[in-house]
């Protein structure tokens, strides 16, 4: 009797497993909750932004924003994107993202993203893709223009090609820092620009960076 009943029990157990897996998928897709892995939340961010499937360049944890907060730098031929995810009792949720359109030919594509936790300081990210092979060094400047139309730099990131990440023949950068100034004072007026130099020290690129921002309440 055991030999004849065991296959039947296994089939019932397998069916239950399939039903449970299907239920999880339905809940994930329809209600967007119950995500088991952060990359699932990143895929949902991609769907919301309409950028198509991307590959992961790198990820960076940001526990100063939320204990489980993680940012993913992803990209494909047409887009470079920095987006976040965080864990709750309902599973992983997407924390928004900033996509960069890379369809028009350019030397550098870049953006910057500010995340702030309630009643605490901000974390700033600058990210992007460098398509010009002659750019050997790059500086990202965070600045504002005063009422006299003069530019004032409040923060800079410097890097060389050796510091960048390579994926599928493309080079990417991701910088993170904590602003050494009162974020609430400068936030509305800040802009960012990326400046690139070749090996000889000649400026070969100057690009204004797109901007994104967000906040975590707790």
């Amino acid at each position: 009797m055991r030999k004849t009943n065991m296959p039947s029990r296994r089939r019932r157990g397998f069916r239950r497993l399939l039903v449970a897996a299907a239920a999880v998928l339905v809940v994930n897709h329809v209600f967007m909750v119950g995500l088991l892995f952060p990359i699932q939340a990143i895929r949902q961010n991609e769907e919301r932004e309409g950028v198509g499937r991307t590959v992961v360049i790198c990820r960076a944890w940001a526990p100063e924003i939320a204990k489980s907060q993680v940012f993913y730098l992803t990209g494909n031929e047409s887009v470079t994107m920095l987006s976040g995810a965080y864990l709750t009792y309902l599973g992983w949720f997407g924390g928004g993202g900033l996509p960069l359109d890379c369809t028009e030919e350019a030397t550098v594509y870049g953006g910057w993203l500010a995340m702030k936790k309630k009643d605490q300081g901000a974390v700033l990210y600058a990210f992007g893709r460098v398509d010009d092979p002659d750019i050997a060094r790059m500086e990202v400047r965070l600045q504002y223009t005063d009422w006299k139309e003069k530019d004032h730099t409040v923060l800079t990131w410097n890097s060389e090609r050796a510091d960048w990440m390579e994926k599928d023949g493309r080079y990417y950068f991701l910088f993170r820092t904590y602003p050494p100034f009162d974020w609430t004072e400068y936030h509305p007026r800040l802009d960012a620009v990326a400046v690139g130099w070749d090996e000889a020290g000649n400026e070969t690129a100057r690009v204004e960076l797109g901007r994104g921002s967000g906040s975590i309440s707790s």
Side-chain angles (χ1 to χ4, degrees), residues 6 49 57 60 115-116 130 132 141 159 185-186 190 193 211:
M6 282 299 292
E49 297 294 341
I57 311 303
M115 293 295 295
K116 185 179 185 301
V130 182
D132 187 349
R141 301 171 183 169
S159 68
E185 177 182 351
Y186 289 101
L190 288 175
V193 61
R211 175 180 179 174

Side-chain angles (χ1 to χ4, degrees), residues 2 7 59 83 86 99 103-104 109 116 122 125 151 156 188 207 217:
R2 289 182 180 177
R59 66 177 184 175
S83 55
Y86 59 95
T103 55
E104 295 186 5
Y109 309 91
K116 185 179 185 301
Y125 289 86
D151 292 333
T156 61
V207 180
S217 60

Side-chain angles (χ1 to χ4, degrees), residues 34-160:
L35 301 181
L36 301 177
F37 305 102
I39 191 61
Q40 293 176 282
I42 301 303
R43 298 305 179 207
Q44 286 188 350
N45 288 341
E46 292 173 348
E47 291 181 10
R48 281 192 292 267
E49 297 294 341
V51 301
R53 180 59 65 94
T54 62
V55 297
V56 176
I57 311 303
C58 72
R59 66 177 184 175
W61 293 96
E64 59 281 312
I65 297 299
K67 290 183 179 180
S68 61
Q69 180 73 45
V70 59
F71 287 98
Y72 279 73
L73 178 64
T74 64
N76 57 31
E77 184 178 356
S78 303
V79 70
T80 300
M81 184 171 175
L82 183 66
S83 55
Y86 59 95
L87 184 63
T88 74
Y89 68 93
L90 293 175
W92 286 91
F93 277 84
L98 179 61
L100 307 176
D101 184 358
C102 302
T103 55
E104 295 186 5
E105 185 175 351
T107 55
V108 178
Y109 309 91
W112 67 284
L113 181 68
M115 293 295 295
K116 185 179 185 301
K117 188 172 182 178
K118 185 178 180 181
D119 300 327
Q120 295 189 26
V123 181
L124 305 182
Y125 289 86
F127 70 101
R129 191 174 101 189
V130 182
D131 279 6
D132 187 349
D134 293 330
I135 296 179
R137 183 172 64 87
M138 190 171 61
E139 180 181 73
V140 175
R141 301 171 183 169
L142 198 62
Q143 58 190 27
Y144 71 94
T145 303
D146 64 18
W147 62 277
K148 295 182 179 180
E149 298 187 353
K150 291 184 178 181
D151 292 333
H152 299 269
T153 299
V154 296
L155 194 63
T156 61
W157 292 275
N158 289 278
S159 68
E160 299 181 355

